[in-house]
Amino acid sequence: MDRPLVATSGNISGEPVLTDNQEATTRLAAIADGFLHHNRPIVRPADDPVIRSIAGQPRHIRLGRGIAPLELDLPTGPAQPVLAVGGHMKDAVALCWDKRLVISPHIGDLDSPRSMDVFEHTIGDLQALYEVQAQSIICDLHPAYTSSRWARQQNLPLLEVQHHHAHASALAGEHPDIHRWLVFTWDGVGMGNDGSLWGGEALTGVPGDWQRKASFRPFYLSGGNKAGREPWRSAAALMWGAGYDWLPPVNGVELARDGWRKRLNTHPSSAVGRLFDAAAALVLDRTVASFEGQGPMELESLTRQRATPVSLPLAMDANGILRSDWSVLPAMLSDQVRSAAERADIFHESMAQTLVDQALGIQKTTAFEAVGLSGGVFQNRRLTEIVLELLEQHDIPVRLHRQIPANDGGLCFGQIIEYLATQQTFVEHGSR
Amino acid sequence: MTFDRHISLAHGNGGRFMRELITEIFARHLDNPGLDVSLDAAPMDLSGVDNDSMIPMITTDGFVVQPLEFPGGDIGSLAVHGTVNDLAVCGAKPLYFSLNAIIEEGLESDCLERVVKSLAAAAREAGVRVVAGDTKVVPRGNGGGLYLATTGVGLRPAGLMLGMHTIQPGDQVLVSGPIGDHGIAVMLAREEFQIKGDVQSDSASVLPLAEAAMAFEGLRFMRDPTRGGLASVGCEICSATGLGLRLMETAVPVRESVGMVCEMLGYDPYYLACEGRVVAVVAAAEAQALLEAWRATAGGNQAAIIGSMVSDKARLVLETELAGERVLEELEDDPLPRIC
């Protein structure tokens, strides 16, 4: 061959793998030059699992072949079988009955009809396999998630669980020995109880009773759903928000800036995943990404050593929530005197220090036994390991996910844990 | 004149000021043989109509667009086009209109006159007569300058079998022109964007397009994709027929300027309002002929075959470039507020 040859799994980006040879040949015609088929039919498709070593342990990024369906035993179970449908991206579903819980293999992003078919098939298949019929459904609070829409159409009792509550409960469910938590739920985005885009939330409490104690000063993200794939929008939110007249090399960007100034299709966000996107855009000129998290992954790969952090001011807002102010970051991130690697080091150090500052601030008023880290941002090994080192210096124990993905693939598990906790609360109250 | 510059509450009090408002602005521009402002109710002359072959059709619509005037149209022309188009896509020829105007105290009378003139011109062009009307003036702060409501009466051939129930797998779906122009034009005007190569609303009567389509025996259904845009029409078709609709992204006409605004501001053109387009579902055998007929008709030169009905789950699927597929779901939130 006089050029590179790429061999990869048979799926379109974000969609589940194609399992039928005929369908693969048709659907992938525009992408693939050749096909390697197998003559064994695939009954239950499963993507490859993805695992990353963080803090000396393998951590699941995606539950796939050989791991999922993942069966877990619970200390308590629901009165009747319950189905949790997870979120929208990297989705997986969970079925819980008696004291058993099963998490499905990774399904994918629920934008395509094929993902939707696999989603429905997986739900039917799980129930048939275990001969259990769900009597109620749990979904995310976000009404426009495909999984939430599906859940609403099922004519079964429905419980909506806030995205970051589910992340926190997913972690708590893996560590039942902890009874008073401080969980940092940092991710790309999830709809908050106030309708804004959360993703940098520090929650104290236990499943079924989470209190939001710290977050970030909101920044304004333009372009609706486009922000996840266009990191320049996150960078613009910070640069414009901090008063810089910054224009990335994007065709028509003046229009976006005018729209941002008018707050048109622009939403307040506290998502740390978007702060990482912004950093990647400013440090690496990563204006667009072909998958969510691409910029932050590239930024992490640049890091080499510990650095002196930029200190994000921490102050309490009118609702009693501590908020870290990102507005000191743009100057450092766009400082061309510093090398990209140096800025990547400082950024990771700064975000880790911010987490520690928040934890220490919360500790003044609220006792907790351990700090937990959940949400897709903590798939960042560099960030997570610095946080562990810093918290250790303050003698604060830290818990990470064991088997459940920190990303949205773990939401279904967290939704079940949240449901079981509220169900118990309800029973306890009723018996008094 | 009693309204040198602005409309006052007295213009709605039933007295001299109101009479002058009606005669000087409304009646003067809307003048037609069927309009007699001294009557409480107007007769509709349907003489010559064979009741067995034609069915009277009625529709009504309210208009609250902001701003009142925008590139490519205004609330006056829109109030005609909206109602004309609702009749036209049902196969009816619009004949008579009633007009309600709810005016906010303080509206510039010049603005009102421009809008009424524009409304009258649009009515003349569509061949409809405004034969009944009412005006009210509401106190300052109680309305967006001007709200209009029109009711239209038209006649439809009795034998015409149009409706979503006639749609079958294999039928082709056409759109008469680029989508999203109105939604973007109104948004840019409302938000006072200063951009070059401005986008014009497509506000227009689709009567000629609808009439051209009605010549085809295989025509199943027509709809003007207003609020909620092409995607909402598609979702409705899927839900009513139980069939799938596959749209080809590369075939759906979207103006470059509209595409750029959508790209930068994060809007989805499939959900943006049109006010001068028709979506038609037609038997596959006649799709090409309808396309050619539309392209030869005023307002249809950029018509396109954009998709087809399939025996699949009842869902609207957009085939993107590189074989990607995206489900276009029913709208949850309004993409843009108050565009009609």
Side-chain angles (χ1 to χ4, degrees):
Chain A
M1 298 287 288
D2 57 357
R3 59 203 162 102
L5 178 69
V6 177
T8 183
S9 58
N11 70 304
I12 288 162
S13 179
E15 286 192 17
V17 282
L18 292 156
T19 51
D20 178 78
N21 289 347
Q22 183 64 49
E23 196 182 0
T25 318
T26 313
R27 292 283 321 277
L28 301 174
I31 299 170
D33 301 308
F35 294 85
L36 178 63
H37 291 311
H38 198 293
N39 60 1
R40 241 176 96 187
I42 298 170
V43 178
R44 291 201 171 80
D47 275 271
D48 289 323
V50 179
I51 290 169
R52 186 177 199 196
S53 172
I54 299 174
Q57 296 285 328
R59 314 282 171 185
H60 290 149
I61 306 284
R62 176 201 286 173
L63 298 175
R65 186 168 50 239
I67 300 170
L70 178 63
E71 282 203 44
L72 300 168
D73 291 324
L74 297 174
T76 59
Q80 290 191 305
V82 59
L83 171 76
V85 295
H88 188 79
M89 310 282 282
K90 313 166 202 69
D91 200 39
V93 300
L95 185 64
C96 181
W97 73 103
D98 298 335
K99 292 180 180 179
R100 296 175 72 184
L101 186 148
V102 181
I103 302 176
S104 78
H106 166 82
I107 296 168
D109 303 344
L110 300 182
D111 293 310
S112 73
R114 180 165 164 76
S115 307
M116 222 22 237
D117 291 346
V118 171
F119 172 82
E120 286 187 332
H121 177 81
T122 302
I123 289 169
D125 193 44
L126 271 186
Q127 297 184 112
L129 191 62
Y130 292 95
E131 294 179 341
V132 168
Q133 197 64 40
Q135 299 301 310
S136 55
I137 300 182
I138 319 168
C139 69
D140 194 273
L141 187 62
H142 199 309
Y145 280 3
T146 304
S147 56
S148 304
R149 291 174 190 263
W150 181 88
R152 285 200 299 274
Q153 292 163 359
Q154 301 310 305
N155 270 330
L156 287 174
L158 184 66
L159 176 73
E160 294 170 341
V161 173
Q162 198 279 324
H163 195 92
H164 302 92
H165 291 183
H167 273 311
S169 288
L171 184 68
E174 289 199 276
H175 301 273
D177 57 311
I178 303 293
H179 302 288
R180 273 186 297 185
W181 283 98
L182 166 59
V183 184
F184 288 90
T185 55
W186 285 7
D187 66 359
V189 65
M191 197 178 87
N193 290 324
D194 58 2
S196 76
L197 308 177
W198 288 12
E201 317 313 315
L203 308 172
T204 61
V206 288
D209 186 21
W210 295 110
Q211 314 290 327
R212 189 183 185 210
K213 293 286 184 185
S215 181
F216 282 76
R217 175 187 159 189
F219 46 91
Y220 290 87
L221 273 177
S222 72
N225 292 330
K226 291 184 182 291
R229 291 289 174 87
E230 298 181 0
W232 68 264
R233 291 184 187 272
S234 298
L238 301 199
M239 293 297 278
W240 297 339
Y244 293 88
D245 193 16
W246 179 76
L247 286 177
V250 173
N251 194 16
V253 68
E254 292 90 351
L255 187 60
R257 182 192 54 195
D258 292 351
W260 182 89
R261 285 182 178 155
K262 296 170 195 293
R263 295 288 184 264
L264 209 63
N265 203 19
T266 294
H267 305 281
S269 173
S270 53
V272 176
R274 296 288 102 89
L275 293 179
F276 273 83
D277 276 347
L282 291 169
V283 173
L284 300 167
D285 297 326
R286 165 61 66 196
T287 50
V288 294
S290 56
F291 57 91
E292 201 191 26
Q294 183 181 7
M297 286 167 70
E298 291 168 353
L299 191 69
E300 185 194 352
S301 72
L302 279 189
T303 58
R304 299 163 309 181
Q305 58 197 15
R306 299 291 297 271
T308 307
V310 172
S311 181
L312 276 64
L314 186 64
M316 192 167 282
D317 73 6
N319 299 315
I321 295 169
L322 288 170
R323 295 216 182 238
S324 295
D325 187 347
W326 44 262
S327 61
V328 292
L329 289 172
M332 182 277 288
L333 292 170
S334 54
D335 179 2
Q336 303 296 326
V337 176
R338 292 187 167 112
S339 72
E342 194 181 347
R343 284 177 278 164
D345 281 330
I346 299 171
F347 179 72
H348 281 76
E349 194 78 34
S350 304
M351 296 311 293
Q353 186 60 51
T354 298
L355 187 150
V356 173
D357 291 347
Q358 289 191 355
L360 296 176
I362 292 166
Q363 202 177 34
K364 285 177 192 162
T365 58
T366 310
F368 50 83
E369 297 165 28
V371 160
L373 307 180
S374 188
V377 170
F378 295 109
Q379 297 169 126
N380 183 316
R381 177 179 175 169
R382 185 76 189 162
L383 172 78
T384 303
E385 292 182 351
I386 301 176
V387 167
L388 287 171
E389 273 190 57
L390 293 175
L391 286 174
E392 196 173 310
Q393 289 164 16
H394 292 280
D395 291 325
I396 297 176
V398 187
R399 298 295 177 94
L400 305 179
H401 281 289
R402 289 172 167 156
Q403 290 179 286
I404 306 297
N407 60 47
D408 284 6
L411 285 177
C412 60
F413 175 71
Q415 289 170 342
I416 298 264
I417 299 298
E418 189 73 7
Y419 171 82
L420 293 176
T422 49
Q423 192 190 33
Q424 273 183 323
T425 312
F426 176 77
V427 172
E428 280 170 19
H429 287 175
S431 62
R432 267 176 209 154
Chain B
M1 292 226 296
T2 51
F3 36 86
D4 302 338
R5 291 180 52 223
H6 298 281
I7 302 299
S8 72
L9 284 174
H11 288 109
N13 70 1
R16 177 170 66 89
F17 280 34
M18 190 173 104
R19 179 166 48 78
E20 289 186 5
L21 170 75
I22 291 170
T23 53
E24 291 297 317
I25 291 189
F26 286 93
R28 184 155 71 90
H29 294 296
L30 296 171
D31 184 43
N32 68 69
L35 182 61
D36 180 348
V37 294
S38 67
L39 295 178
D40 281 327
M44 288 187 294
D45 183 4
L46 298 178
S47 58
V49 173
D50 175 352
N51 283 326
D52 291 334
S53 66
M54 300 300 269
I55 298 173
M57 303 281 286
I58 184 167
T59 187
T60 190
D61 210 343
F63 301 87
V64 297
V65 66
Q66 292 292 330
L68 300 178
E69 298 170 287
F70 46 82
D74 55 56
I75 193 170
S77 55
L78 194 63
V80 171
H81 296 148
T83 296
V84 162
N85 293 349
D86 283 350
L87 288 167
V89 294
C90 289
K93 179 174 172 49
L95 295 173
Y96 296 105
F97 259 46
S98 78
L99 169 68
N100 265 284
I102 297 170
I103 310 165
E104 184 182 356
E105 175 193 8
L107 177 71
E108 281 180 36
S109 45
D110 282 352
C111 173
L112 179 65
E113 182 156 14
R114 284 196 303 274
V115 164
V116 173
K117 252 173 107 165
S118 159
L119 187 152
R124 269 193 303 277
E125 196 198 325
V128 298
R129 294 172 173 183
V130 178
V131 292
D134 184 47
T135 59
K136 294 282 187 306
V137 180
V138 294
R140 198 183 293 270
N142 287 13
L146 176 66
Y147 296 153
L148 296 178
T150 52
T151 295
V153 172
L155 291 171
R156 192 200 81 184
L160 191 66
M161 288 290 289
L162 286 186
M164 288 195 268
H165 62 281
T166 64
I167 295 173
Q168 294 163 25
D171 285 353
Q172 299 290 296
V173 179
L174 286 82
V175 68
S176 65
I179 59 167
D181 293 4
H182 180 73
I184 290 297
V186 169
M187 184 273 296
L188 292 177
R190 178 175 50 233
E191 300 295 338
E192 297 171 344
F193 272 92
Q194 312 290 330
I195 62 161
K196 300 177 196 82
D198 58 334
V199 182
Q200 302 265 318
S201 166
D202 56 341
S203 179
S205 160
V206 300
L207 199 55
L209 293 161
E211 283 172 346
M214 280 164 61
F216 291 88
E217 265 183 30
L219 180 70
R220 316 278 196 213
F221 173 74
M222 291 188 286
R223 173 65 55 85
D224 52 329
T226 55
R227 265 179 308 186
L230 176 63
S232 298
V233 173
C235 287
E236 213 177 320
I237 291 173
C238 292
S239 134
T241 59
L243 298 173
L245 198 175
R246 294 184 75 85
L247 290 178
M248 295 164 292
E249 187 174 43
T250 49
V252 180
V254 180
R255 283 184 208 284
E256 201 184 333
S257 50
V258 169
M260 168 65 86
V261 174
C262 286
E263 186 62 35
M264 279 302 110
L265 300 182
Y267 293 117
D268 200 336
Y270 301 97
Y271 293 91
L272 295 181
C274 311
E275 290 289 350
R277 305 286 177 240
V278 189
V279 172
V281 184
V282 66
E286 290 188 334
Q288 193 60 36
L290 173 55
L291 177 70
E292 281 158 24
W294 266 5
R295 286 190 169 169
T297 304
N301 63 335
Q302 292 187 70
I305 298 175
I306 56 172
S308 52
M309 304 303 306
V310 290
S311 304
D312 180 21
K313 289 182 185 161
R315 62 188 173 193
L316 176 63
V317 173
L318 182 71
E319 285 184 33
T320 58
E321 278 179 286
L322 292 177
E325 293 182 345
R326 180 157 73 98
V327 178
L328 297 180
E329 305 263 16
E330 197 181 9
L331 205 56
E332 284 281 336
D333 280 322
D334 260 346
L336 296 170
R338 278 170 65 170
I339 33 73
C340 60

